[in-house]
Amino acid sequence: MPSVADLIFVALLCAIVFTPLSVRLLGDAGIGWHIRAGQQILATHAIPRVDSFSSTMAGRPWFAWEWLYDLLVGQLEGVLGLNGVVWLTAVVSAAVFAWTFRLVVGRGANMFVALVLVLLALSASMIHFLARPHVISWLFTLAWFRILDSSQQDAGDEQGARGRKQRKLWALPLLMMLWVNVHGGFVVGFVLLGIFLVGAGWDWFRAKEGRIEELLQKAAARKRARDLTWAAFLSLGASLLNPYGWKLHWHVCSYLSNHFLIDRIDEFRSPNFHGVAQRCFLLLLLITLAALATRGRELRLTQVFTVLFAVFSGLYASRNIPVSSILLVMVVAPLVPAAGLGRVFFQRMGAVEADLRGHVWPVLAVIITLAIAANGGRAGSDLLMDAHFDSRRMPVEAVNYLEKSELKGPVLSADYWGGYLIYRLYPKIQVVVDDRHDLYGEEFLRPYLKMMRGERGWEDFLQAHPASCLLLPRDAALANILIETKRWKTIYADDVAIALVHQAANP
């Protein structure tokens, strides 16, 4: 018998792989260079340390900090095509929200409330629902919070149970060894560790030393603070087990503290609450405020700080909304009261849910969808999976034309198309720029953005970084300027993209 969490998993997995959501997952061209980087690792048996995709950055140091994810999607794409990449993203995404539901029900949340909040978190996460390594970081964040939270026991818990919970902390360094090689979101793990460490220290500080029960509570708080400190040091050491050592941490901090880059990258900007996903996050925030207003005194210091961190990070940058939503649901769901006639019914359903542990249906769904992906997306004669880049968002037809041409030099396109060009044209043709903004840096991107906007001195970038072809969005300001200058010749144009070459190269 499937549990509700199992049904959520199966429904979400099938909705992603068998519907147009599979195409939406490929709406970010960056997955293209992730795939090619992974296949480069497979071919050379070495992790990249210098760039080979760009003509402007060729040979310069490159931090391929998501190399383990790249390796995985590179292998899947090589065997299953883009269906394999979408299948992996679907499995991880379904696991995140199904597990979130099961965890909050296990924490005492009403099943109906839990379902509503998880669906809100899922809808809010659609803003960054893409086949990129950050999706796996959602899973690591949930597992990390689960371990830290379960290690925090009430004063009335039995000592043996508390000891078993504390031993779970030693899983954190093992998770960090994987997380640091998958995605830069490992920084969130240290933020959560800091929150729980401060909470343990506060419990230790304010514990009284009167009766024997109070002495035992103070001793337990001291032991937990000591265990968290050791877990933090070991996790920090584990985070150094990456191809770049401590230099990766410096690189990530430098990237995230560069105001020029952060202010100009869309996903790092604050959310615009006119969108559906953003409104779902806003509704989740309002529910959080209502829960804090009515039952906020029941929260521990760690839960308060977790809510503050989730709210701040979600309002600071749109890309943080999924993680923020998951953390808010984990803290708030048990606080929301369940009123109405169905209260007893859902309590009983919650008890049944906790007893269903087989998870046969999710396992079958994973195996069946993988088999369909391995069969080219077909079940018999029916095509059920067809993951591909959307020709309305990517220059698919324009790149088809360039593939058939005798073009040999680098191609200059919008940075958000660069990953797609790498996927389609590498190693035959390099790009001038792509969306690896940490690689290109502020000094390079300043004149690039000036050129794309057609501002005074826009030609300086083209002279400094010559390209054999410009592939631009059809409505880009630069495209209109180049057409009017008559020094550039249009070799291809459609509703999405326009390709131009310099007249001197094609008299």
Side-chain angles (χ1 to χ4, degrees):
M1 178 178 176
S3 65
V4 177
D6 292 344
L7 295 176
I8 292 174
F9 179 92
V10 174
L12 186 54
L13 174 62
C14 293
I16 294 175
V17 299
F18 297 140
T19 71
L21 275 177
S22 63
V23 178
R24 176 171 178 170
L25 256 62
L26 299 174
D28 190 321
I31 187 60
W33 65 258
H34 280 292
I35 292 170
R36 293 297 178 238
Q39 292 171 347
Q40 190 178 82
I41 295 172
L42 291 169
T44 62
H45 303 287
I47 298 170
R49 296 181 181 274
V50 296
D51 177 54
S52 61
F53 299 133
S54 167
S55 62
T56 52
M57 296 290 147
R60 296 194 184 184
W62 173 40
F63 287 82
W65 57 16
E66 296 148 335
W67 70 271
L68 193 56
Y69 173 83
D70 298 349
L71 183 67
L72 185 57
V73 294
Q75 181 66 55
L76 282 173
E77 196 276 341
V79 177
L80 307 176
L82 291 175
N83 283 338
V85 178
V86 167
W87 172 84
L88 172 66
T89 307
V91 169
V92 174
S93 302
V96 166
F97 294 102
W99 193 21
T100 301
F101 174 83
R102 188 168 182 86
L103 288 178
V104 295
V105 170
R107 287 163 56 88
N110 175 271
M111 279 192 65
F112 178 74
V113 171
L115 182 60
V116 170
L117 292 183
V118 168
L119 289 178
L120 274 178
L122 172 61
S123 301
S125 301
M126 287 292 177
I127 192 174
H128 213 40
F129 220 57
L130 301 164
R132 295 289 298 268
H134 66 273
V135 175
I136 298 182
S137 204
W138 301 351
L139 185 60
F140 275 110
T141 300
L142 182 58
W144 195 272
F145 180 82
R146 169 74 175 92
I147 292 171
L148 287 172
D149 186 68
S150 66
S151 71
Q152 188 171 338
Q153 298 297 305
D154 295 330
D157 283 354
E158 296 181 1
Q159 187 66 33
R162 181 160 50 246
R164 288 193 296 273
K165 295 293 186 183
Q166 296 289 7
R167 285 196 292 272
K168 291 183 178 181
L169 289 173
W170 309 119
L172 297 181
L174 299 177
L175 284 176
M176 182 55 68
M177 280 193 295
L178 293 174
W179 198 353
V180 73
N181 292 292
V182 169
H183 187 246
F186 71 89
V187 175
V188 175
F190 288 110
V191 174
L192 292 176
L193 249 176
I195 288 173
F196 278 83
L197 188 56
V198 169
W202 174 252
D203 290 340
W204 180 18
F205 173 76
R206 73 182 190 130
K208 299 178 181 179
E209 298 183 356
R211 296 174 299 176
I212 187 169
E213 293 87 355
E214 295 172 342
L215 290 173
L216 290 175
Q217 290 177 1
K218 190 174 184 68
R222 182 175 64 250
K223 182 179 184 302
R224 184 164 179 277
R226 184 174 65 249
D227 290 341
L228 280 169
T229 301
W230 275 110
F233 277 114
L234 290 174
S235 297
L236 181 60
S239 72
L240 299 175
L241 300 178
N242 67 81
Y244 313 99
W246 64 269
K247 294 181 179 179
L248 174 62
H249 301 66
W250 177 263
H251 181 76
V252 172
C253 291
S254 299
Y255 175 46
L256 296 179
S257 61
N258 188 307
H259 294 292
F260 175 83
L261 297 178
I262 298 303
D263 291 344
R264 286 161 179 80
I265 299 174
D266 288 340
E267 62 186 31
F268 282 108
R269 293 179 178 176
S270 297
N272 180 349
F273 289 102
H274 290 198
V276 175
Q278 296 91 327
R279 290 178 183 177
C280 290
F281 180 63
L282 179 60
L283 182 56
L284 194 55
L285 290 179
L286 295 176
I287 294 173
T288 299
L289 290 176
L292 292 179
T294 56
R295 302 182 63 182
R297 292 185 179 181
E298 301 176 21
L299 292 179
R300 295 179 176 178
L301 185 64
T302 52
Q303 294 173 312
V304 173
F305 281 169
T306 300
V307 169
L308 291 176
F309 167 67
V311 171
F312 171 79
S313 59
L315 293 177
Y316 180 78
S318 296
R319 65 172 295 154
N320 297 332
I321 285 180
V323 166
S324 298
S325 300
I326 292 168
L327 291 176
L328 288 177
V329 170
M330 289 294 295
V331 175
V332 172
L335 300 178
V336 178
L341 297 176
R343 180 178 179 180
V344 175
F345 170 76
F346 285 114
Q347 285 178 344
R348 293 177 178 175
M349 285 292 294
V352 174
E353 177 78 9
D355 290 336
L356 297 175
R357 300 176 180 273
H359 309 303
V360 173
W361 292 98
V363 173
L364 287 176
V366 169
I367 294 173
I368 291 172
T369 51
L370 178 60
I372 293 173
N375 193 39
R378 294 185 177 276
S381 59
D382 297 326
L383 182 64
L384 300 182
M385 296 179 65
D386 184 24
H388 59 274
F389 288 98
D390 191 349
S391 60
R392 295 170 297 180
R393 294 175 56 91
M394 303 292 171
V396 176
E397 296 302 326
V399 174
N400 289 341
Y401 175 84
L402 294 182
E403 276 188 321
K404 298 175 183 177
S405 68
E406 297 180 358
L407 188 68
K408 295 182 180 180
V411 175
L412 171 59
S413 72
D415 58 333
Y416 50 83
W417 279 353
Y420 177 72
L421 267 65
I422 291 172
Y423 176 72
R424 291 287 306 274
L425 301 177
Y426 183 82
K428 178 183 176 183
I429 297 175
Q430 292 180 312
V431 298
V432 173
V433 64
D434 57 84
D435 65 351
R436 294 172 295 164
H437 301 109
D438 62 305
L439 168 65
Y440 291 94
E442 179 180 349
E443 184 179 351
F444 178 91
L445 291 175
R446 275 187 182 274
Y448 160 76
L449 293 174
K450 185 177 181 180
M451 174 201 65
M452 291 298 293
R453 290 192 293 259
E455 297 176 356
R456 184 185 298 274
W458 61 268
E459 291 181 306
D460 296 342
F461 184 88
L462 290 176
Q463 293 173 358
H465 307 287
S468 62
C469 176
L470 304 185
L471 183 60
L472 304 172
R474 192 67 178 86
D475 57 353
L478 179 61
N480 295 324
I481 292 174
L482 293 177
I483 293 173
E484 295 298 327
T485 60
K486 298 182 179 180
R487 291 196 299 268
W488 292 82
K489 176 183 177 182
T490 301
I491 59 173
Y492 178 85
D494 57 26
D495 293 336
V496 177
I498 181 171
L500 307 101
V501 295
H502 202 277
Q503 288 283 25
N506 290 270

